[in-house]
Amino acid sequence: MPTGAKLARRVRRLPIVALVLACALLPASAFGMSRGRGASDLSPRLAELAKPSLRSAPEPLQAAKLSLAAEGPGSLLREGNRVLVDVRFDHGVAASLDALRAAGAKIVDVSRRYQTVTAAVVPAELRRLVRVARVDGVTEVLTPMVFGTGNAGPLTSVTTPCFGAATSEGDEQLRAAQARSEFEVDGSGVTVGVLSDSFDQATLSADGSEPIASHAAEDVESGDLPGPGNPCGHETPVDVVEDYEPGPEEPEPADEGRAMAQIVHDLAPGASLAFATAFKGELSFAENVERLAAPSPAGADAKVIADDVSYFEEPFFQEGPVGVAVSNVTASGVAYFSSAGNNNLFEGSREIASWEAPEFRDSGNCPPSLVTLSEEIEEAEGPGTGLHPSHCMDFNPESGVDRTFGITVASGATLIADLQWAEPWEGVNTDIDTFLLNSKGQVIGGSIEDNVGGSKRPFELVGWENESGAQAEVQLVINRYSGIANPPLKFALLENGGGVTATQKSIGSDVAGPTIFGHNGGEYAMSIGAIRYSTTAAPEKFSSRGPVTHYFGPVEGTSPAPKLGSPQVLSKPDLVTTDGGASTFFASCMSGVWRFFGTSAAAPHAAAVAALEREAKPAESVANVEKAQREAAVEVGTFPPQAVGSGLLDAVGALEQLGVTPSSPGTVPSPPPSPVSCPPEPTPEPSPAPGPTPVPAPIVNSTANRALRTFFRLRPPKLIRTRLGRAKAVFVFGANESDVTFVCRIDGGLFRPCPTRLVMRFKPGRHSVRAVARDAAGNADKTPAVYRFRVERID
């Protein structure tokens, strides 16, 4: 590539390709995708966001223009009207804080190890950051993933002494109750730390339909958390090291961390608990790992830690900052448990959630639409500003050439594709871009980060929402912009278990399926998959699978890590444990019980068993505590290690593996009381005009040999006018089968369990509600019911 082209690549500032389908009808030149001014500049996305035309636009439009999710994982992480960014320095980060504040930045976290400040900045002031001395680059922080589901209902039961209002069935499934009884352990003397979104900040249920069922104080009163007034005498309150407090205009968190803490308290009620948020950026997450493990008074002195968070940029091919923090705390004697993720996908029996090639295969050309777009950019902006689309990936490892990879996206779903390649952070020599094309071959999304001179990370992420009324196939394209290396590369479809229904088949040496990555699959973390509370036969279909391969040493600072002598293949997950256990507030209402699903629920179950082990053997090494869990695990059918690790965790077996002698063998523990009941869904009353119009239910004659279908029994008008800040909207969902549950997606959020009757308040603007029915066998409607409407404020 000519020198001028390389220089132009280092200095891109112009807009990223637009995302929405409507924009796909515009000429390619209307998107504007080219380069800006230098390694110490804003990332392409932030440069675009800083422009007056976009920073004043509604957030969904901003997301579309930036090829990101509008809300939830993969969206811009915000703090009120500010966005979170990482400001990297070549040196002197501590001495630069006053200058950053003077430039309008609110300091969120400072990492001397990585010479990076995480800051919250108003988009109009982003350009001021790059004028601060020694700034080496500014990149956006994306909202991370959490691997649980949530809902809420009123707390209706009264606790039985020494049991909370809701006890996870994992207490019996993993034989933790029996272990407490036989070995006379309950976690006393051990502190378990939890990292997630928030602890006690939510005011509404996870779907936003009603007030949250309980807060931390009520959980203490009911015996579901420790603290003063706990009816079982567990008086030590949860040590909240740092909580996540959203701004007034931000979506509030779901208190998933509190739901995880409830699980630990169910299985290890004598353990002390601590919480720290992982939602203030990746480097803050890493520091909070070490804060939880640090001795008091500076830290919580945790000897066991569990988390359920992943940042999209965490590296696939080496340990990142969070993984380094995990290795540091495990070296100091802390057992660490991380959720494996909810990103596994199936097309029939075929796993399709990722694709990996052993090397970049240069096809020598690119699809015509990329060539045309690049020519239009260079004509408008000058030579060297285009995409240089001449080195696109060949997805066919055998004979023939295939420059696109087909992905089928369900109606209403958001596709999030995370592309990475095997080069170390801070030592990237190959600049790779990724694009999405529609069925007509037009560019509808893209990511063109300056990997070599800008972010210095081998990472590109593209998001696209299918707003059509039917599933749509898009084509993913990977172009090597600069560099001559052909590193291994991989993209993962991080969909939280749904949204992508099919992909192009991998052949030859290419691999499809594994989605465990980052610290969740690190060498020093126990990676925990999920198995439903009611079975021992199979893991949850969404539970992410391994293995994980590392090519480089860990990210220790601002210098590139050395290449390993040979690739390190890590068998992940390590174990599977319970999900879907009973909770007081954070779950879906199934058969009258609130239940907490996802690998987010699995990780704290394993951590609680580790607390029992650590009480029984306080001096035992972390390696032996974890080894005991693996060696005692029970096989799960014929599933391979990449699906279930060593198998289902067995608390009694783990203690026996450590050589602990039962104090009272054969004791049968008392069963917990019935869990908190969900209120029955009320029968909707007809709404008077001009309110919501009932939608007639279809006539159902038989469900035999017929696909599950979701529809709206009740929905609001297409235009809702209100004099208030928000307008109330009522939805009632239906299906052509009985005994179904529903998951919903509100605007750009995640699919989450929701009640049959959903009541929410929406702020002015355009909105969408998507619903999917699931039957008792776990089958889901592959085509969500979608309804779009608008709220307009009137004076």
Side-chain angles (χ1 to χ4, degrees):
M1 180 177 294
T3 302
K6 291 183 180 178
L7 177 61
R9 173 63 172 198
R10 294 173 55 204
V11 294
R12 338 174 234 198
R13 271 197 271 183
L14 295 177
I16 294 174
V17 64
L19 172 65
V20 288
L21 281 173
C23 293
L25 302 177
L26 298 174
S29 58
F31 296 125
M33 180 184 288
S34 61
R35 279 63 180 164
R37 182 180 56 84
S40 62
D41 205 353
L42 300 174
S43 73
R45 283 189 169 112
L46 291 181
E48 180 73 4
L49 182 63
K51 294 182 177 181
S53 59
L54 189 59
R55 70 191 186 218
S56 59
E59 290 180 10
L61 180 58
Q62 291 177 353
K65 186 70 172 175
L66 301 178
S67 290
L68 293 174
E71 293 182 359
S75 65
L76 292 173
L77 189 57
R78 299 177 184 268
E79 188 174 292
N81 65 340
R82 298 170 179 257
V83 293
L84 261 64
V85 298
D86 281 337
V87 186
R88 303 184 311 279
F89 289 81
D90 54 21
H91 69 282
V93 64
S96 303
L97 299 181
D98 288 342
L100 283 177
R101 293 187 181 99
K106 176 183 175 183
I107 307 301
V108 174
D109 181 77
V110 180
S111 173
R112 290 172 173 81
R113 178 184 296 164
Y114 297 102
Q115 289 293 300
T116 298
V117 175
T118 302
V121 186
V122 175
E125 297 181 339
L126 284 168
R127 276 285 167 203
R128 297 176 61 191
L129 300 182
V130 300
R131 294 194 287 269
V132 174
R134 299 185 292 277
V135 167
D136 192 39
V138 185
T139 55
E140 62 274 12
V141 176
L142 300 180
T143 303
M145 295 171 280
V146 288
F147 298 118
T149 59
N151 207 324
L155 191 62
T156 56
S157 71
V158 178
T159 182
T160 299
C162 292
F163 284 105
T167 299
S168 169
E169 285 81 357
D171 197 30
E172 295 185 14
Q173 185 185 40
L174 306 179
R175 295 211 296 168
Q178 184 178 343
R180 290 196 307 274
S181 177
E182 291 188 9
F183 296 92
E184 296 186 356
V185 292
D186 64 359
S188 293
V190 180
T191 296
V192 179
V194 172
L195 290 138
S196 187
D197 59 347
S198 61
F199 182 75
D200 197 22
Q201 298 296 321
T203 61
L204 297 174
S205 59
D207 62 14
S209 64
E210 56 189 74
I212 198 165
S214 71
H215 292 280
E218 295 161 303
D219 289 343
V220 172
E221 291 177 3
S222 66
D224 291 286
L225 283 178
N230 177 285
C232 298
H234 303 299
E235 296 278 328
T236 303
V238 178
D239 179 6
V240 181
V241 174
E242 183 180 26
D243 210 345
Y244 175 70
E245 300 180 15
E249 298 300 322
E250 293 178 83
E252 65 175 40
D255 287 355
E256 195 156 325
R258 178 157 56 95
M260 293 171 68
Q262 284 189 359
I263 290 171
V264 176
H265 190 62
D266 287 343
L267 276 65
S272 299
L273 297 176
F275 173 83
T277 185
F279 258 54
K280 292 190 175 182
E282 183 180 358
L283 298 183
S284 173
F285 179 9
E287 291 177 1
N288 275 345
V289 168
E290 300 198 43
R291 286 177 70 186
L292 285 176
S296 59
D301 201 19
K303 294 303 179 186
V304 179
I305 297 177
D307 84 76
D308 72 335
V309 176
S310 285
Y311 279 84
F312 290 94
E313 61 268 33
E314 288 191 58
F316 289 179
F317 300 112
Q318 65 183 137
E319 296 277 13
V322 181
V324 169
V326 172
S327 69
N328 290 341
V329 301
T330 54
S332 68
V334 176
Y336 200 97
F337 299 84
S338 189
S339 55
N342 298 347
N343 294 309
N344 197 41
L345 296 168
F346 283 96
E347 180 185 353
S349 60
R350 185 171 71 96
E351 295 174 36
I352 61 171
S354 70
W355 168 90
E356 182 173 359
E359 63 177 357
F360 180 88
R361 296 185 293 265
D362 189 352
S363 70
N365 210 331
C366 287
S369 59
L370 280 184
V371 177
T372 301
L373 177 57
S374 183
E375 291 172 349
E376 292 175 348
I377 291 170
E378 297 220 6
E379 182 179 355
E381 305 297 334
T385 59
L387 306 174
H388 303 288
S390 58
H391 298 281
C392 280
M393 176 75 189
D394 179 6
F395 290 97
N396 186 349
E398 299 179 345
S399 60
V401 175
D402 187 356
R403 298 185 177 95
T404 63
F405 188 95
I407 303 170
T408 303
V409 184
S411 173
T414 295
L415 170 69
I416 298 180
D418 186 338
L419 171 67
Q420 301 193 30
W421 53 101
E423 291 186 326
W425 280 27
E426 305 295 335
V428 179
N429 295 310
T430 310
D431 198 336
I432 295 179
D433 295 334
T434 186
F435 305 92
L436 291 175
L437 313 181
N438 64 13
S439 60
K440 297 179 180 179
Q442 299 167 312
V443 180
I444 57 171
S447 180
I448 59 166
E449 186 61 61
D450 180 3
N451 310 110
V452 177
S455 70
K456 301 179 182 178
R457 299 178 182 181
F459 165 71
E460 299 280 351
L461 183 137
V462 61
W464 176 80
E465 182 178 0
N466 178 12
E467 294 188 327
S468 70
Q471 67 179 21
E473 181 173 306
V474 298
Q475 303 290 328
L476 187 138
V477 178
I478 298 172
N479 180 49
R480 188 179 65 196
Y481 178 87
S482 69
I484 59 174
N486 296 312
L489 71 168
K490 173 178 180 175
F491 68 77
L493 307 177
L494 303 179
E495 299 292 307
N496 202 35
V500 170
T501 59
T503 66
Q504 178 175 311
K505 289 185 178 180
S506 295
I507 55 177
S509 57
D510 296 349
V511 176
T515 52
I516 298 177
F517 73 98
H519 79 280
N520 302 106
E523 180 179 3
Y524 300 97
M526 290 282 281
S527 181
I528 310 300
I531 187 168
R532 191 163 294 211
Y533 70 96
S534 55
T535 183
T536 59
E540 294 279 21
K541 287 186 175 181
F542 57 72
S543 188
S544 290
R545 302 190 176 193
V548 174
T549 303
H550 288 167
Y551 291 85
F552 300 93
V555 182
E556 298 280 8
T558 58
S559 298
K563 189 174 183 178
L564 300 176
S566 59
Q568 179 188 34
V569 180
L570 302 171
S571 181
K572 297 291 175 175
D574 292 278
L575 297 163
V576 291
T577 71
T578 308
D579 84 321
S583 171
T584 65
F585 78 103
F586 190 83
S588 36
C589 185
M590 295 183 62
S591 302
V593 178
W594 297 110
R595 299 198 173 279
F596 178 8
F597 285 94
T599 57
S600 287
H605 278 95
V609 172
L612 303 182
E613 295 176 78
R614 306 221 75 166
E615 180 193 356
K617 288 275 191 172
E620 198 65 72
S621 68
V622 171
N624 285 342
V625 168
E626 296 173 348
K627 180 182 177 183
Q629 291 196 2
R630 285 191 291 264
E631 291 189 346
V634 180
E635 289 185 359
V636 178
T638 59
F639 285 88
Q642 59 263 34
V644 297
S646 297
L648 177 64
L649 178 59
D650 180 344
V652 172
L655 286 162
E656 290 174 342
Q657 285 289 333
L658 287 178
V660 183
T661 302
S663 302
S664 52
T667 302
V668 179
S670 301
S674 299
V676 176
S677 60
C678 306
E681 298 296 343
T683 302
E685 298 180 1
S687 300
T693 303
V695 180
I699 298 174
V700 178
N701 297 315
S702 173
T703 59
N705 300 317
R706 184 179 56 200
L708 179 62
R709 189 166 65 85
T710 315
F711 50 85
F712 291 86
R713 292 186 183 276
L714 188 72
R715 61 194 181 194
K718 286 286 187 179
L719 176 62
I720 306 175
R721 292 187 171 90
T722 179
R723 297 182 183 276
L724 306 175
R726 292 175 182 261
K728 180 179 177 181
V730 180
F731 300 85
V732 177
F733 309 116
N736 61 341
E737 292 183 23
S738 59
D739 193 21
V740 299
T741 59
F742 298 93
V743 293
C744 304
R745 183 164 180 254
I746 311 301
D747 295 328
L750 290 172
F751 272 102
R752 294 183 180 274
C754 60
T756 303
R757 183 175 186 267
L758 174 66
V759 182
M760 287 188 65
R761 294 189 179 276
F762 294 84
K763 61 185 179 181
R766 297 184 182 276
H767 300 281
S768 62
V769 173
R770 297 162 177 82
V772 174
R774 287 180 176 168
D775 63 21
N779 300 310
D781 183 355
K782 294 183 178 181
T783 56
V786 184
Y787 187 72
R788 296 177 178 84
F789 62 101
R790 183 163 58 92
V791 174
E792 181 180 287
R793 185 166 183 174
I794 57 177
D795 297 326

